[in-house]
Amino acid sequence: MSSFDDSNTSPKIHVETPPTASVPPSGDHQTPATGGTGGRVSGILRRWQRDDLLKKGLLAFRGAALVFSLISFIVMASNKHGDWREFDHYDEYRYLVAIAILSTLYTAVQVFLQVQELSTGKLLIKPRMGSIIEFVGDQLMAYLLISSASSAIPLTNKMREGADNIFTDTSSAAISLSLFAFLCLALSALISGYKLSVQPYV
């Protein structure tokens, strides 16, 4: 009986499904390949815009420092009212005038070089040397300005305890202008330090 059943049982045939060819995605679903050229160009443009902004910022801060230093020098140098009210009788005020003159000369040279670079595109000093000079010069002049103002402030405050007059008011005005020049050069030193740090040859 079992043999009869086995003979009538149809053999099982396994039919494999033929592989289906992969259909390429239609044109509507294709993502365009982004080339590297466009990214590089946009990066270069952003870097140029950043460099241009930094140059204009440096020019603005140094121009402001030039104006403040020059006015501080003029105000203090004209602070002569006879007797003890003469600025050149005091070492602190003479120091303030000397540093104001140095700051005026330094910022005037830097402004001239930057204006020439922006107008003609030519550099009188090599970029590497120019960046180092800017960074060191800005820091040095900022330190000298805050040093001269700090030495003149106690003297002026002591004078104001005894008499508050045009001499002390003029001295205070010159000191305030030196402090403003210091702030401008301190910000300029930050920018010039950043420029120096991103140079490829450092």
Side-chain angles (χ1 to χ4, degrees), residues 79-95:
N79 196 15
K80 293 186 175 184
H81 304 282
D83 198 13
W84 60 273
R85 297 177 298 178
E86 301 277 343
F87 86 93
D88 51 358
H89 290 175
Y90 307 95
D91 293 336
E92 293 86 349
Y93 291 158
R94 290 200 300 268
Y95 179 45

Side-chain angles (χ1 to χ4, degrees), residues 138-196:
D138 289 346
Q139 287 218 352
L140 179 62
M141 288 312 309
Y143 169 78
L144 291 175
L145 283 168
I146 193 64
S147 173
S148 63
S150 299
S151 66
I153 287 174
L155 176 63
T156 306
N157 290 337
K158 186 176 181 180
M159 287 183 179
R160 277 187 159 177
E161 293 177 358
D164 192 1
N165 49 38
I166 189 174
F167 179 72
T168 56
D169 290 342
T170 305
S171 300
S172 299
I175 293 170
S176 299
L177 290 167
S178 291
L179 289 175
F180 287 139
F182 157 74
L183 289 176
C184 292
L185 280 178
L187 294 173
S188 177
L190 290 176
I191 298 177
S192 58
Y194 173 77
K195 283 182 58 181
L196 183 62

Side-chain angles (χ1 to χ4, degrees), residues 32-50:
T34 57
T37 305
R40 286 195 296 268
V41 170
S42 62
I44 292 173
L45 290 176
R46 284 195 299 270
R47 186 179 64 187
W48 285 352
Q49 291 174 354
R50 181 190 62 194

Side-chain angles (χ1 to χ4, degrees), residues 5-86:
D5 293 338
D6 292 337
S7 61
N8 292 336
T9 303
S10 60
K12 297 179 180 180
I13 301 174
H14 178 68
V15 179
E16 294 184 358
T17 305
T20 58
S22 60
V23 180
S26 61
D28 296 337
H29 297 286
Q30 288 181 353
T31 56
T34 57
T37 305
R40 286 195 296 268
V41 170
S42 62
I44 292 173
L45 290 176
R46 284 195 299 270
R47 186 179 64 187
W48 285 352
Q49 291 174 354
R50 181 190 62 194
D51 293 343
D52 186 61
L53 183 61
L54 290 177
K55 289 178 182 178
K56 291 180 179 179
L58 278 174
L59 181 59
F61 285 129
R62 286 175 181 155
L66 170 61
V67 173
F68 289 137
S69 300
L70 179 61
I71 297 177
S72 175
F73 158 67
I74 293 173
V75 169
M76 184 59 81
S78 62
N79 196 15
K80 293 186 175 184
H81 304 282
D83 198 13
W84 60 273
R85 297 177 298 178
E86 301 277 343

Side-chain angles (χ1 to χ4, degrees), residues 66 69 98-111 141:
L66 170 61
S69 300
I99 299 305
I101 293 174
L102 286 177
S103 178
T104 301
L105 294 175
Y106 168 76
T107 51
V109 171
Q110 288 291 349
V111 167
M141 288 312 309

